[in-house]
Amino acid sequence: MKNNNRKQEIIKAGTSLISNNGYNATGIDSILKKASVPKGSFYHYFQNKENFGLAVIDKFAHDYNNMLDKFFSDINFTPLNRIRNYLEHIIEYLTQKQFTKGCLIGNLGQELSDQNECFRQKLDAIFLIWKQKFKACFEEAQKIGELNTDILPEAIADFFLASLEGAILRAKVTKSPEPLENFLKILFSKILTK
Amino acid sequence: MKNNNRKQEIIKAGTSLISNNGYNATGIDSILKKASVPKGSFYHYFQNKENFGLAVIDKFAHDYNNMLDKFFSDINFTPLNRIRNYLEHIIEYLTQKQFTKGCLIGNLGQELSDQNECFRQKLDAIFLIWKQKFKACFEEAQKIGELNTDILPEAIADFFLASLEGAILRAKVTKSPEPLENFLKILFSKILTK
């Protein structure tokens, strides 16, 4: 295994374990066992567990941003239909996963925001990037007359992000798509209207 | 210290530590140290850590239900103003706490839903009780003509619960009341309308 591949394997194994069990409950030993790499490797690539955790978050955020850009730059759909496509994708994905895992950024935000200021700032910055992408989409929807202009795009984006995170959490606890489906229904019938 | 007092002290200390650090990261030793009770006491009152965790959740849910009943049975206010009073109370409380801790049921739902089916079922049942209280309030609002009847009270209650949990999470990560204030504003201007 080449150096960079091995590092990526460790991050991949860690992402899976942290998604399932949280950051604190994931030990370095279990990560290395899952990645099938020798124990000494960890400190070759990462200074410490925190440094590794931040690398896991960076990789997840990088991949998630690419996914968001795929949906939000798709000019075959109107801005509000891009939002709908993204939500339907999330519902389909979480249904496939039987509502396990939830959102890694939301999970770690819940777990670590009061424990580690470095993690909190990174997670907050990632949420801000997502919010900016949603905001740009709602701005475009207002510009072409697809969305009423009585609420600022910034406020709608903030509300959308928080409510989506809440619906993902509720789906995880109740093991059903219902909270996500209710969110989509009320969002499009009450908030994202002309 | 009387027996029941000592048990309650252990639960109180555990609630505070679990609220700050999560369930997995809270050790029995740190709970007993915080409660200032001897180590042997723990297993006198609780079979194991899981049994203790469930007692912490029960106590929290009991107190939270009393708080909800106080707001939702207040006939000095219309049903929608009871919802508003409850939300304003949460914003005030979390602002005082500088947006630390968040919601214990949401936190544990996030942390434990995929790890422990017993916890998941208990947390889900508590969310259901809250949802029923919100539903009854929205039903009453529809009955007296304060709220339009185009969405079922059940769906509004489900949406309200999920979005509130999401706004509490976002406030915790971003350390600001903004997500909660945006939620309140959009809720009352777009969803809870005649």
Side-chain angles (χ1 to χ4, degrees):
Chain A
M1 216 187 281
K2 280 186 187 162
N3 256 6
N4 194 44
N5 283 357
R6 184 168 279 177
K7 186 176 179 182
Q8 292 309 318
E9 279 303 313
I10 299 174
I11 288 176
K12 195 177 157 190
T15 305
S16 171
L17 288 168
I18 291 173
S19 294
N20 279 325
N21 306 318
Y23 175 77
N24 287 314
T26 299
I28 292 170
D29 282 356
S30 62
I31 297 164
L32 296 172
K33 197 176 165 192
K34 192 174 171 75
S36 304
V37 295
K39 199 168 173 176
S41 293
F42 188 86
Y43 294 99
H44 178 69
Y45 299 111
F46 307 101
Q47 223 178 325
N48 49 39
K49 192 183 167 189
E50 178 177 315
N51 186 268
F52 162 74
L54 294 170
V56 164
I57 294 172
D58 277 335
K59 175 71 169 80
F60 179 89
H62 176 265
D63 293 348
Y64 205 90
N65 279 337
N66 284 346
M67 186 268 277
L68 286 176
D69 287 343
K70 204 190 80 189
F71 280 102
F72 290 106
S73 64
D74 189 344
I75 53 165
N76 293 310
F77 294 93
T78 66
L80 291 193
N81 279 321
R82 289 173 216 159
I83 292 279
R84 186 186 286 276
N85 289 344
Y86 165 60
L87 281 182
E88 285 176 349
H89 164 77
I90 289 182
I91 295 175
E92 198 186 316
Y93 174 82
L94 291 174
T95 304
Q96 267 177 10
K97 298 269 175 198
Q98 297 178 289
F99 312 101
T100 57
K101 298 189 178 182
C103 165
L104 183 68
I105 305 303
N107 293 352
L108 293 177
Q110 194 84 278
E111 184 182 356
L112 300 173
S113 286
D114 293 340
Q115 289 176 30
N116 186 313
E117 181 61 14
C118 185
F119 275 100
R120 188 195 71 74
Q121 284 184 15
K122 184 173 273 289
L123 297 163
D124 197 31
I126 291 164
F127 273 144
L128 186 63
I129 290 168
W130 296 359
K131 201 171 95 172
Q132 295 305 327
K133 290 185 197 289
F134 303 146
K135 181 188 163 193
C137 191
F138 293 129
E139 247 165 12
E140 199 184 330
Q142 287 187 339
K143 205 173 282 174
I144 65 164
E146 198 185 13
L147 175 62
N148 64 54
T149 54
D150 56 352
I151 303 183
L152 289 173
E154 170 99 22
I156 307 177
D158 191 63
F159 170 84
F160 176 77
L161 171 59
S163 295
L164 175 57
E165 285 293 325
I168 291 171
L169 163 62
R170 279 283 298 132
K172 182 177 175 177
V173 178
T174 202
K175 298 294 176 216
S176 143
E178 208 187 333
L180 288 154
E181 286 166 352
N182 266 323
F183 169 56
L184 191 141
K185 192 176 132 191
I186 291 180
L187 182 74
F188 277 93
S189 65
K190 292 290 180 180
I191 300 160
L192 303 185
T193 55
K194 274 187 191 175
Chain B
M1 216 186 281
K2 281 187 188 160
N3 256 5
N4 195 43
N5 282 356
R6 186 169 276 177
K7 186 176 180 183
Q8 291 310 317
E9 280 302 313
I10 299 174
I11 289 175
K12 194 177 159 192
T15 305
S16 169
L17 289 167
I18 291 173
S19 293
N20 279 326
N21 306 317
Y23 176 77
N24 287 314
T26 299
I28 293 171
D29 282 355
S30 63
I31 297 164
L32 295 172
K33 197 176 164 194
K34 193 176 170 74
S36 304
V37 295
K39 200 169 173 176
S41 295
F42 188 86
Y43 294 100
H44 178 70
Y45 299 111
F46 308 101
Q47 221 177 326
N48 49 40
K49 190 181 168 189
E50 180 178 312
N51 186 267
F52 161 76
L54 295 170
V56 164
I57 294 172
D58 278 335
K59 174 71 170 81
F60 180 88
H62 175 264
D63 294 348
Y64 205 89
N65 279 337
N66 284 346
M67 186 267 278
L68 286 176
D69 288 342
K70 204 189 80 187
F71 280 102
F72 290 107
S73 64
D74 189 345
I75 54 165
N76 294 310
F77 295 94
T78 66
L80 292 193
N81 278 324
R82 289 173 217 159
I83 292 278
R84 186 186 287 275
N85 289 343
Y86 165 60
L87 281 182
E88 285 176 350
H89 165 78
I90 290 182
I91 295 175
E92 199 186 314
Y93 175 82
L94 291 173
T95 304
Q96 267 176 9
K97 297 271 176 198
Q98 297 179 289
F99 312 100
T100 57
K101 299 190 176 181
C103 166
L104 183 68
I105 306 304
N107 292 353
L108 293 176
Q110 193 84 278
E111 184 182 357
L112 300 173
S113 286
D114 294 341
Q115 288 178 30
N116 186 313
E117 182 60 15
C118 186
F119 275 101
R120 187 195 71 73
Q121 285 183 16
K122 184 172 273 290
L123 296 164
D124 198 30
I126 291 164
F127 273 144
L128 187 63
I129 291 169
W130 296 359
K131 202 172 93 173
Q132 295 306 328
K133 289 184 197 292
F134 303 146
K135 182 189 163 195
C137 190
F138 293 129
E139 249 165 10
E140 199 184 330
Q142 287 186 340
K143 204 173 284 174
I144 64 164
E146 199 185 11
L147 175 63
N148 63 55
T149 54
D150 57 352
I151 303 183
L152 288 173
E154 170 99 23
I156 307 177
D158 191 64
F159 170 84
F160 176 78
L161 171 59
S163 295
L164 176 57
E165 284 295 324
I168 292 172
L169 163 62
R170 279 284 296 133
K172 182 177 174 176
V173 178
T174 202
K175 298 293 175 217
S176 142
E178 208 186 336
L180 288 154
E181 286 167 351
N182 267 323
F183 170 55
L184 191 140
K185 191 176 134 190
I186 291 179
L187 182 74
F188 278 93
S189 65
K190 291 290 178 180
I191 299 160
L192 302 185
T193 56
K194 277 188 189 173

